[in-house]
Amino acid sequence: MNKGLLIVVSAPAGSGKDTILECAFKSCNNLNYSVSATTRAARPGEEEGVHYFFKTREEFARLIENNQLLEYTEYAGNLYGTPREYIPKMLEAGKNVVLKIEVEGAANIKKLFPDCVSVFILPPSFAELERRLRKRGTETEETIKKRVGIAKIEMSFVKNYDYVIINENLDDAVKDFIAIIEAEKLSTKHGIPVIG
Ligand code: 5GP
């Protein structure tokens, strides 16, 4: 059986990555999220074990201590980390895994899984990014400013990614994302199929 594909997606907050991925998940079967652990408070509508595993700082420290994370980082004052066991287990079982992660974590995952496919999603402009963050209505003014500042730094990492999508229009961005996965599934770099 072919191994699954690991798709690492990074995008500044407000770039629309969650909506793009939600649509892509509806169109492709065999896409599975790796759910991260975080010390960030849950936003309205976010569920434990679906969007994140929500942890206290103490609980997160224990995950690190017990070597239960593949990587972790601090982002806008909160800790985020990728559970160690889920990804290799799913890939071995032929399942494709999508990991939504910031740039530092993505670089660490690329070192651990050189075969992974990395995708960066850009908003059409900084003004639009700020507008989308405000519209979300879940962040304080201070957090919005912090996230726009981080987004500017993050965008300098685009060149380290295999693919870049500009989210000007949702339908096109979803098509682009699915096209990347379809092409990667056919790429010889993930193995040569054996025919009878
Ligand atoms: P948010 O608070 O908006 O859900 O996430 C903030 C940032 O943390 C996003 O860029 C998100 O992709 C990233 N992130 C989420 N989970 C992880 C993780 O497990 N590791 C790393 N390094 N970043 C993560």
Coordinates of all heavy atoms in Angstrom, one line a residue, residues 132-139:
R132 N -10.1 41.1 7.5 CA -10.7 39.7 7.8 C -10.5 39.4 9.3 O -11.4 38.8 9.9 CB -10.0 38.7 7.0 CG -10.4 38.7 5.5 CD -9.6 37.6 4.7 NE -9.9 37.7 3.3 CZ -9.2 37.0 2.4 NH1 -8.2 36.2 2.7 NH2 -9.4 37.2 1.1
L133 N -9.4 39.8 9.9 CA -9.2 39.6 11.3 C -10.2 40.4 12.1 O -10.7 39.8 13.1 CB -7.8 40.0 11.7 CG -6.6 39.1 11.4 CD1 -5.3 39.7 11.8 CD2 -6.8 37.7 12.0
R134 N -10.5 41.6 11.7 CA -11.5 42.4 12.4 C -12.9 41.8 12.3 O -13.6 41.7 13.3 CB -11.6 43.8 11.8 CG -10.4 44.7 12.2 CD -10.8 46.1 12.7 NE -9.7 46.6 13.4 CZ -8.6 47.0 12.9 NH1 -8.5 47.0 11.6 NH2 -7.6 47.3 13.6
K135 N -13.2 41.3 11.1 CA -14.5 40.8 10.8 C -14.8 39.6 11.7 O -15.9 39.3 12.1 CB -14.6 40.4 9.3 CG -16.0 40.3 8.8 CD -16.0 40.1 7.3 CE -16.8 38.9 6.9 NZ -16.4 38.2 5.7
R136 N -13.7 38.8 12.0 CA -13.9 37.6 12.8 C -14.4 38.0 14.1 O -15.2 37.2 14.7 CB -12.5 37.0 12.9 CG -12.4 35.6 13.5 CD -11.4 34.8 12.9 NE -10.1 35.0 13.5 CZ -8.9 34.4 13.1 NH1 -8.9 33.6 12.1 NH2 -7.8 34.6 13.8
G137 N -14.1 39.1 14.6 CA -14.7 39.7 15.9 C -14.3 38.9 17.1 O -14.9 39.1 18.2
T138 N -13.3 38.0 17.0 CA -13.0 37.2 18.2 C -11.7 37.7 18.8 O -11.3 37.2 19.9 CB -12.8 35.7 17.8 OG1 -11.8 35.6 16.8 CG2 -14.1 35.1 17.4
E139 N -11.0 38.7 18.2 CA -9.7 39.1 18.7 C -9.7 40.5 19.2 O -10.5 41.3 18.7 CB -8.6 39.1 17.6 CG -8.7 37.9 16.6 CD -8.2 36.6 17.1 OE1 -7.3 36.7 18.0 OE2 -8.6 35.6 16.6

